[in-house]
Every structure is written in structure tokens, then in C-alpha cells.
Amino acid sequence: MKGCDFTVRIGAAAGDGIQSAGEMIMKVMSRSGLYVSTYNGNQSLIRGGHVWFHIHASSRRVYSLGYGIDFLIPLTQLAYDQHYENVNESGAIIYDPSVVKVHDLSQKVKKYEVPLAQIALKYDKRPIMKNTVALGALTAVLGIDFNVLAKSISDQFGRKEPSVAENNIKAAKDGYDTVVAEGGSLVDYDYDYASAKPVLTADYAIALGAVNAGCRFYAAYPMSPASPIVHWMTAHAKKLGLTVFLGEDEISVVNATIGASYAGARAMCATSGGGFSLMQEAIGQAAMTETPLVVVDVMRAGPSTGLPTKTSQGDLNMMLGISHDDFPRAIIAPRNPEESYNVAERAFNIAERYQLPVIILLDFAIGDGGYATVENINTEFSIDRGKLLTSADPELLNGTWFKRFVLTDDYISPRTIPGTEGMMFVAKTDEHDEWGHDLSDVLAGLKEYLPIRERMHEKRMKKLELLAKEMRPPELIGPSVADISIITWGSSANPVREALERLWNEGVSVNSFEFSDLYPINKEEVRKMLASTGKMVMVEANYSGQFEKLLKRELGIDMAAHIRKYNGEPFYPIEIEKGVVGIRKEVHALA
């Protein structure tokens, strides 16, 4: 394939079908053999305002939104006014001159005037198909086989009346023919239609991965941007033998999940920041009863309601400080949909091996907000249920009770599923002894019980020491030694990775260390990896530098500088590039 790398942005008002149009463009690209990475510039409203969908497509693997806009489709004047300044000079704009007045646009940008509304009105009383007409025009500009778009339209409207797909295809063909009549394709790319590439959002990926990891109970209260997970789980529940519980709030959701796990099922729930706030006391319950638990938090910007459809990496501090007092937990932040799928295997295995809560941290940028190509999907998950007894162990019985919380050398007690013959036990949220019997009231503070409280508390906390040894160190991208080392985590790693290539071409000595396992930190391995770094620069999408402070606390590491973003939009590679170049100049000036 002749190499290509371009971006497309389509913008309009909420209610104009931009989400559907963007997804159809994405399908056209991926079915033409291209790698894609997308972002959904949503607003939290049903109709009006301004929304946009961005696609970065390439014949090589892409990770973020790329650089600028090569092909802009503004369906409203506001969409044009918001985005024209970012159109690259070699790019093009497809617009309806009866709706959009073009101004201040570089003469080097190719203009395609297409009567989008007029064509759309041929097939409906309202011009609602103008976005489809625009897709046809875009397909012609890119020189893509129209049949690929026609198939994508059929798939998009497959559940509606046949006439819906038929009319949309006709409208798209009119847009396609209009551009062809004006001279046709602007570019000369070869596409590989036989190598369609699958795409997923992290929300869908985590749902798919969880089921493959043995999850058979899922609970949720719908909350953006975590809602697609419950949509997927519900749609596939019957054929997968999955129980989906829609709770009245997140308190019931997490408690139902803990109950299902306690009863022996692999169980998971998901929410966003506000919902997670409600879950916290119950997560402490899971920690005290040592019940395995997997919770997904898809971060959005802001405390309280905040920006429900915008992105952030601002929930890390909340995950580190869940509920009250100390208890162990694992925090993993996948960097993309592919890793989100694969991490499900580890999340459930860790939860059951160590009998503790595991938090999977996603964010809107890769969750509900962005599709990306997935390639390395491992369908053969290994399921490790840890110390799960299925029959009575005489050494743990006293004739009536099973010693559920027995103290062991590795701090992990054998557990069993309630109802297992001869293995009755107590699982209280109060502090307890090895049998699970209550210490919290009349026995608390008595001198013979003080050591028991200490040992039970130590037993839970020391799991972290074992778990830390299997937590993964960051992935090194680039040379092992560089003048500047970018430290980043989760979805922010994606724009960093694309910025690196440009920085290398500019002669900047830089590499990056991408963290996905955030807590507990494998201190020994991380110290080894970071021992030879250059000036360290932290990149993360929050105001206060939450992961930067965690590394300082855990490892005593000081960053030379940081690049932070907290306006609700994801990082662009150009922001990383400019930030690193600026830091490099400062370093040289001080040298």
C-alpha cells in the first residue's frame, strides 16, 4: 500500500447524526486497510450546540488524533468557525455554501462546494441526510471505492426499515458523484480492502475482555462515560449466560457485585467518578471481608457532575484514598482499547489470588470517546481463582466453623464459596479473628485481642508487598538512554508516542516510559528502569500532577518539569512536542 496518514473532522450540532457519521467514516477507513484512532467531541445535550468527530487514519499504526485537520466537513457555520484554523495547508474542506460562509482560509486548502442540503432533500422532507451526502463526497476526495461506504451505511442502518439504508446510499452516491464531476480524488492512495482492521473503544473492549475472563455477573447504574459497558453487557447477556443487574444507584451496584463475588461468581461493576464516590464504603467492605472485586472507573472531567462527556485523568487520588483507613488495592490504567481487553485477565486473577479490590482506570478519551484499531487480542485467557477450596480441609475446621481468615506465611487465607459442605464461616465487616468472629465490640481493646487486630490488619496490608512484585514496570518507548525522558500513564501515553517520532526527526534525544500498572508500584523494577533516565518530564491530564506525586511519595523521584492538561480535551501530539522542545531549551539555557 502506498503510505498515507491523514485526519478527518466532521462537525455539526448535536442531533445532526455526527456520531453515526463519524462511526461510518471510521468503518470505511478500517475496511480500507487503515489503522485508525478517533475521538468524539461530545457535549452533554440532545440537540444543538456543537459536536464533532475526529478520525486519524494511516497505513501505519496510529495512537492519537494526529496533527491538525486534513479534511474538514463543517455542516454548520459554528463548526467551520471552531475548526478552520486547524486545517492543514495541503488539506481540503467539504461544505455546503448555502449554509457555511468560508472565511480566512488558506488559499492552499482545496474547497469542495457540495449542495449537501439540496441533495439530502431529494430523499427526505428534512435535510437529515446531509451528513451522508458529505460522507459520499469525502469518499470520492479520498479515492476510496464507493462500495465500501455503501456497505458501511447498510451496516449502520441495518436494524431500520430497508428504505432508510437505501436512501442514505443514494444520497451518499450523489455526494460522491458531485466530487467526481469536479475532478475527483485529491490524493493518490492505494487501499487494501482485503485487510479490514477491527476497532473498539476501551469500554467495549473491557466488557469483551471481562466476559472472556469468566465474568458472569455485571452491575451498573448508567453513567457517562461508562454506560457503553452496560449497553454491551445487556445486549449480549442472554447468549453469553451473563447476569446483568441495573441498580437504583451505585451503592446497590457495588454491593450486588460484592455479593455475587462472595457467592462465587466472577463479578464486575463500572461507573464514573461521581458513582465511584458512592461506592467507596462498600469497597472497604470488600477489603475487610477479603472478597475479590473488580471495579472499572471511566474518568470524566471535574468533581460533582463536572464535564460528563469530556476527558480527564483526575480520579487517581480518589483510587489511592478509597474509603477509610488502610487496605490493599490494585490500580491498573490501560493505555488503549487493546490493552483494556487484555487487562481483564490480570484484573480478575489478581482480585482472586490476593482477595482484594482491583480498580481499572479508563478515561473518556479511550472509553466512550474514542475507537482505535485492536490487533493483539488474546482469546486464550488463563483463569486463576487463587486459594479457592471446594472441599473441607480438616486443619481449618473446629467441628462447626471454617477458619476463613487463617493467618498464613503469604498472608492469603484459603476461601470457599458459601454453601460448601462442612465449611461454614463468618464474613463480617467488623474486625475479626481467624474464624471471622467479631472483635469490634466487647473484645476490642482488651489486651489479649490487641495482637489479633494487629495481625489481621498486617495480614491484609502485607498482600501489597507480594502483589507489587508482579506489577509491571513501565514500557520503554525509544532509546534506553536519552537526554529527556517522558513519564506518562494511561491514555496520555498515546499522543506522547506519536510526538516522539517527530521529536526524533528534529534531533531531540528523548524517550518515554509508559505506566499502566499504577499501584502498588514494583519499586525495585521501576527504580532499575528509571536509573538511567535523562531529565524526567511527567505528562498527565490533571491539574495537580497526581501520578507525579505518587512517584515522589513511593520512590522519592523528582520530575524536572511537567506537561499537564485539564480543559477536558485530550492531549494532541503537537502539545507534547512543543512542551518538550521548550523544556529542552530551558535545560540547555541552564547548562
Side-chain angles (χ1 to χ4, degrees):
M1 171 184 289
K2 189 179 295 183
C4 64
D5 190 302
F6 60 85
T7 60
V8 177
R9 183 169 295 186
I10 180 170
D16 282 342
I18 290 302
Q19 174 81 26
S20 298
E23 290 182 358
M24 282 191 283
I25 298 174
M26 175 195 66
K27 288 176 183 175
V28 168
M29 303 309 170
S30 59
R31 291 173 180 182
S32 299
L34 301 178
Y35 294 92
V36 300
S37 180
T38 80
Y39 184 71
N40 190 355
N42 263 338
Q43 290 184 328
S44 302
L45 72 174
I46 303 300
R47 182 168 290 280
H50 171 61
V51 298
W52 49 273
F53 199 99
H54 184 99
I55 303 102
H56 182 193
S58 179
S59 51
R60 63 181 177 83
R61 186 66 188 258
V62 293
Y63 301 94
S64 74
L65 303 186
Y67 285 81
I69 302 169
D70 293 311
F71 302 97
L72 175 64
I73 306 173
L75 298 182
T76 63
Q77 187 65 46
L78 180 57
Y80 176 82
D81 293 340
Q82 287 292 310
H83 303 295
Y84 78 92
E85 292 176 321
N86 294 320
V87 177
N88 296 323
E89 289 200 339
S90 59
I93 174 173
I94 300 169
Y95 67 104
D96 187 334
S98 70
V99 176
V100 175
K101 304 305 178 188
V102 171
H103 57 82
D104 302 324
L105 192 66
S106 169
Q107 294 297 316
K108 296 181 180 179
V109 174
K110 174 79 172 176
K111 299 174 188 175
Y112 289 91
E113 294 186 355
V114 182
L116 304 175
Q118 182 181 333
I119 294 174
L121 288 171
K122 290 170 58 180
Y123 302 100
D124 196 282
K125 295 179 180 178
R126 299 166 297 161
I128 56 175
M129 295 185 204
K130 59 187 177 185
N131 54 3
T132 314
V133 180
L135 298 194
L138 174 68
T139 303
V141 169
L142 291 171
I144 293 175
D145 185 342
F146 179 77
N147 289 325
V148 180
L149 174 59
K151 179 66 167 58
S152 299
I153 293 173
S154 296
D155 293 345
Q156 191 76 18
F157 298 109
R159 294 184 178 180
K160 298 187 176 182
E161 290 291 325
S163 61
V164 174
E166 292 168 5
N167 285 332
N168 272 278
I169 291 172
K170 290 177 182 175
K173 188 64 166 61
D174 282 1
Y176 182 92
D177 290 341
T178 300
V179 168
V180 170
E182 289 186 14
S185 171
L186 180 65
V187 295
D188 182 23
Y189 301 141
D190 290 330
Y191 300 102
D192 185 359
Y193 301 115
S195 299
K197 292 180 168 51
V199 295
L200 283 173
T201 68
D203 279 358
Y204 289 142
I206 194 69
L208 192 60
V211 171
N212 196 37
C215 178
R216 291 297 177 267
F217 181 91
Y218 179 76
Y221 176 84
M223 187 172 185
S224 177
S227 296
I229 304 175
V230 71
H231 297 163
W232 192 94
M233 292 291 197
T234 304
H236 298 84
K238 188 173 182 180
K239 63 183 175 185
L240 294 175
L242 182 71
T243 297
V244 178
F245 171 71
L246 193 64
E248 69 269 27
D249 56 35
E250 285 83 356
I251 297 174
S252 67
V253 162
V254 70
N255 278 298
T257 307
I258 293 168
S261 179
Y262 176 77
R266 283 199 155 186
M268 185 176 85
C269 58
T271 185
S272 185
F276 197 92
S277 296
L278 296 176
M279 291 182 174
Q280 292 193 46
E281 183 175 2
I283 294 174
Q285 173 195 177
M288 178 60 92
T289 59
E290 301 188 55
T291 303
L293 177 66
V294 176
V295 182
V296 180
D297 178 68
V298 189
M299 296 177 282
R300 63 192 203 185
S304 189
T305 309
L307 298 172
T309 57
K310 298 298 177 184
T311 199
S312 171
Q313 292 181 304
D315 289 358
L316 176 58
N317 279 349
M318 179 165 63
M319 303 305 138
L320 293 167
I322 299 170
S323 197
H324 36 267
D325 208 340
D326 295 316
F327 62 82
R329 85 263 347 233
I331 305 172
I332 305 174
R335 292 165 287 181
N336 49 55
E338 187 173 289
E339 194 168 45
S340 299
Y341 170 86
N342 289 320
V343 83
E345 176 187 26
R346 293 182 61 223
F348 279 100
N349 287 346
I350 288 172
E352 293 207 301
R353 277 206 302 273
Y354 295 94
Q355 301 171 26
L356 48 66
V358 175
I359 313 301
I360 299 175
L361 265 184
L362 307 176
D363 60 53
F364 179 83
I366 59 171
D368 192 18
Y371 288 86
T373 302
V374 293
E375 287 188 308
N376 302 310
I377 294 295
N378 172 26
T379 58
E380 299 297 325
F381 279 2
S382 172
I383 295 178
D384 180 359
R385 307 212 62 179
K387 291 183 177 181
L388 180 62
L389 299 181
T390 56
S391 59
D393 181 343
E395 295 186 1
L396 299 177
L397 300 174
N398 68 356
T400 302
W401 298 104
F402 163 57
K403 194 182 282 188
R404 164 67 180 93
F405 302 99
V406 62
L407 296 166
T408 63
D409 292 339
D410 63 1
Y411 315 112
I412 300 168
S413 309
R415 68 187 178 104
T416 190
I417 295 172
T420 302
E421 184 176 358
M423 301 182 75
M424 187 166 61
F425 65 96
V426 177
K428 296 195 68 174
T429 58
D430 296 69
E431 189 59 277
H432 45 259
D433 62 15
E434 291 179 289
W435 304 98
H437 296 160
D438 196 349
L439 295 184
S440 68
D441 296 324
V442 296
L443 301 180
L446 300 182
K447 61 182 181 182
E448 60 266 43
Y449 292 99
L450 294 177
I452 297 178
R453 153 62 185 174
E454 289 177 342
R455 295 186 68 187
M456 296 306 292
H457 197 30
E458 290 165 0
K459 156 189 153 61
R460 292 189 293 270
M461 292 304 296
K462 285 184 178 296
K463 292 178 186 178
L464 283 173
E465 297 175 9
L466 290 179
L467 174 57
K469 295 177 181 176
E470 71 170 84
M471 296 298 275
R472 295 176 179 172
E475 183 179 1
L476 168 65
I477 307 298
S480 58
V481 178
D483 292 342
I484 295 175
S485 294
I486 298 174
I487 312 298
T488 189
W489 62 278
S491 67
S492 290
N494 300 317
V496 169
R497 197 178 288 202
E498 289 201 358
L500 285 179
E501 294 186 17
R502 292 265 291 247
L503 288 166
W504 292 333
N505 291 336
E506 295 169 20
V508 179
S509 173
V510 59
N511 59 13
S512 75
F513 293 85
E514 301 178 354
F515 281 81
S516 55
D517 286 10
L518 306 186
Y519 187 84
I521 292 175
N522 187 333
K523 296 180 182 178
E524 184 176 350
E525 291 299 317
V526 172
R527 280 200 178 97
K528 284 181 187 174
M529 288 197 71
L530 301 185
S532 59
T533 56
K535 298 290 184 182
M536 285 190 280
V537 178
M538 175 63 76
V539 175
E540 57 182 321
N542 59 61
Y543 176 84
S544 61
Q546 297 183 12
F547 189 57
E548 180 178 341
K549 290 177 179 174
L550 176 63
L551 288 181
K552 172 69 174 176
R553 186 188 85 183
E554 295 289 310
L555 300 170
I557 291 175
D558 286 312
M559 298 290 147
H562 55 249
I563 301 171
R564 298 173 186 164
K565 188 171 184 179
Y566 40 86
N567 63 5
E569 299 298 325
F571 276 113
Y572 290 87
I574 189 65
E575 295 170 326
I576 309 298
E577 185 181 338
K578 288 182 177 178
V580 170
V581 169
I583 291 165
R584 182 194 188 205
K585 289 179 180 176
E586 291 178 8
V587 171
H588 284 179
L590 294 173

